[in-house]
Amino acid sequence: MTYGYKIAAALAGSVLLAAGSFLLSYVPAAESSDVFRRAMLGSAAGAAVVACGLAIFGLAYLGTTKQRRAETQRVAQGREGYAPDRLDMRPVKPSKFLYNMALIFVGVVFVSSAAGTGMTLSALLDMPARIWDYTTQMVAGVAQIPDEEARDAWSSAFDAMLESVAIAWIGTIVGALFSLPCGILAARNMTPLAIYIPMRFILSIIRAVPELVFAVAIFIPLLGVGPAHMGGAMAGAFALGISSIGTLSKLISEAIEGVDPGPLEASRASGATHVQMIRWAVLPQVMPEVIAIWLYRFEVNIRASAILGALGAGGIGRLISPPNGLFGQRPYDWEAIGITLFVIIAITMVVDQVSGFVRHRVIHGATVRQKRRGFGGRGRKDTGGPGGHDDGSGQGGVNLTEARAEATAAR
């Protein structure tokens, strides 16, 4: 297909998309759904703009048709035409027409989605000023000298955040206790097919259901809603625990499937049972990675517990969720919101750093620093005695005669 045909096909597709989207904005479904109608109108507008651009580009391309046809006839008649030099003998640059059209299509879908959700350019332009205004109010709340109201806000934020950390920890422990045996049963190299397929199916179902659904549909009606003394914290912990089982079991099963088969074959050859093989050939290989996965899930659960708290499952989320939280009051108390967000960010960063250090220590081990003993090194000074040499550590001197004798014996 020549370049001109590509332009014509793209132009025809843009016109059809614009016309089809415009017509769909008047179907009965558009009358009942305002979002659908706005999305179709946005898609029609974006496709119309693309069609106009392609039309202008096509007209410019058609303007060179006469010149290209005359050049082709001149070369066909044997007359001297365009003589390419050595630079023109380079490989032809591949056409990016389809790539560019794909990017334009993504842009049209973006415009359609923005129009369907009611986004406006004026709100986007006003956002920097609003961000600056709200940020200054929140910083002022954090940096102020605490009065009685501010101290209450700090105390409530710390208590609720520690409750969120406790919820995340309980959920992680529940997930860790069940994820290791489930991960072993879901590993293809550990279990027969009759157990492997059902276990994978069960774990897929657990992963398909978000922790929000577990909390709202199951555990909040069973255990209660609100702060810890009303059962909301327990509901959030169990929701995170059940959700963690699906994710952790999948990651652990993949780690088990990637172990070195050598120890497994050696244990089978020595007559070990299946349980003994798992204990002595599999777990020593995967436990560092498993512990790292558990710790990473703990970090994820801390963030998820804040979201569950907004639904009534305890934790820091209940302080900011409407109608009784900070965002349920009008006008917003941005100073108290700033204090709450500062506590969330600070405690989350501390937990992330501690968890990251522990994960690095588990995976890579401790760094061993060896003391170097040499002669004439920096930080060493002569003790003034015959053959004495201080290493600067305060532990006494090193006899140079004995050291030279040991070096000679070693050679």
Side-chain angles (χ1 to χ4, degrees):
M1 181 183 291
T2 61
Y3 203 70
Y5 286 121
K6 291 181 180 179
I7 297 175
L11 178 60
S14 301
V15 172
L16 291 176
L17 179 60
S21 300
F22 183 76
L23 293 176
L24 287 175
S25 63
Y26 289 96
V27 299
E31 296 178 0
S32 60
S33 176
D34 191 46
V35 175
F36 180 79
R37 184 179 62 83
R38 290 198 302 261
M40 290 298 100
L41 290 177
S43 177
V49 172
V50 174
C52 292
L54 287 173
I56 296 173
F57 186 71
L59 291 176
Y61 182 78
L62 289 175
T64 62
T65 303
K66 185 177 181 181
Q67 179 182 357
R68 288 184 286 105
R69 184 182 297 112
E71 188 68 27
T72 303
Q73 292 177 356
R74 186 183 298 111
V75 174
Q77 293 173 1
R79 290 183 292 174
E80 183 179 356
Y82 175 73
D85 56 12
R86 186 165 295 277
L87 290 177
D88 294 315
M89 298 173 65
R90 293 176 296 178
V92 179
K93 185 178 181 180
S95 175
K96 291 186 176 180
F97 182 80
L98 296 178
Y99 174 77
N100 294 333
M101 291 306 301
L103 291 181
I104 292 174
F105 177 75
V106 172
V108 171
V109 174
F110 174 78
V111 173
S112 173
S113 303
T117 53
M119 296 181 182
T120 58
L121 185 60
S122 60
L124 185 64
L125 296 178
D126 293 341
M127 187 181 296
R130 292 183 178 181
I131 290 176
W132 176 256
D133 184 22
Y134 299 155
T135 303
T136 53
Q137 295 184 48
M138 288 189 290
V139 171
V142 174
Q144 68 177 336
I145 298 176
D147 54 7
E148 184 177 356
E149 184 178 356
R151 285 194 294 269
D152 292 340
W154 282 103
S155 177
S156 300
F158 271 110
D159 290 342
M161 191 60 200
L162 292 178
E163 184 179 322
S164 290
V165 174
I167 291 171
W169 180 251
I170 295 173
T172 306
I173 294 298
V174 172
L177 290 177
F178 289 95
S179 62
L180 185 58
C182 291
I184 294 174
L185 294 176
R188 186 64 188 91
N189 56 346
M190 290 289 105
T191 55
L193 202 61
I195 300 177
Y196 168 78
I197 294 179
M199 182 56 65
R200 283 279 184 171
F201 180 73
I202 294 172
L203 295 178
S204 298
I205 293 177
I206 295 175
R207 290 196 306 273
V209 181
E211 57 266 11
L212 295 176
V213 178
F214 281 120
V216 175
I218 300 176
F219 292 107
I220 287 180
L222 291 177
L223 301 174
V225 61
H229 66 275
M230 299 177 63
M234 184 179 294
F238 276 96
L240 291 176
I242 299 300
S243 180
S244 299
I245 291 174
T247 304
L248 293 176
S249 299
K250 184 179 187 306
L251 296 175
I252 292 173
S253 65
E254 292 177 351
I256 293 175
E257 290 175 351
V259 298
D260 184 8
L264 276 69
E265 296 175 358
S267 61
R268 291 193 188 101
S270 61
T273 62
H274 192 72
V275 176
Q276 291 173 337
M277 181 185 66
I278 294 174
R279 170 62 183 87
W280 301 107
V282 176
L283 292 183
Q285 297 188 62
V286 300
M287 280 311 295
E289 187 174 353
V290 169
I291 295 175
I293 292 172
W294 288 342
L295 292 173
Y296 177 73
R297 183 65 192 187
F298 174 56
E299 300 174 15
V300 174
N301 284 343
I302 290 178
R303 299 170 179 84
S305 64
I307 300 174
L308 293 181
L311 302 176
I316 192 72
R318 61 183 171 82
L319 292 184
I320 59 178
S321 63
N324 299 323
L326 295 174
F327 285 104
Q329 306 171 5
R330 292 301 180 94
Y332 294 150
D333 188 1
W334 287 106
E335 294 184 355
I337 292 173
I339 292 173
T340 304
L341 293 180
F342 178 82
V343 171
I344 293 174
I345 294 171
I347 294 183
T348 303
M349 290 179 62
V350 170
V351 173
D352 286 350
Q353 292 299 319
V354 174
S355 177
F357 171 77
V358 175
R359 280 191 286 117
H360 184 274
R361 184 69 175 266
V362 168
I363 295 176
H364 301 285
T367 302
V368 179
R369 297 180 179 179
Q370 298 180 352
K371 294 182 178 180
R372 293 180 298 177
R373 298 177 63 181
F375 304 102
R378 187 174 297 178
R380 300 175 183 272
K381 58 184 179 180
D382 195 350
T383 60
H389 195 75
D390 190 3
D391 60 357
S393 62
Q395 302 296 327
V398 177
N399 195 304
L400 295 180
T401 305
E402 295 178 0
R404 291 193 184 97
E406 291 176 1
T408 304
R411 288 197 294 266

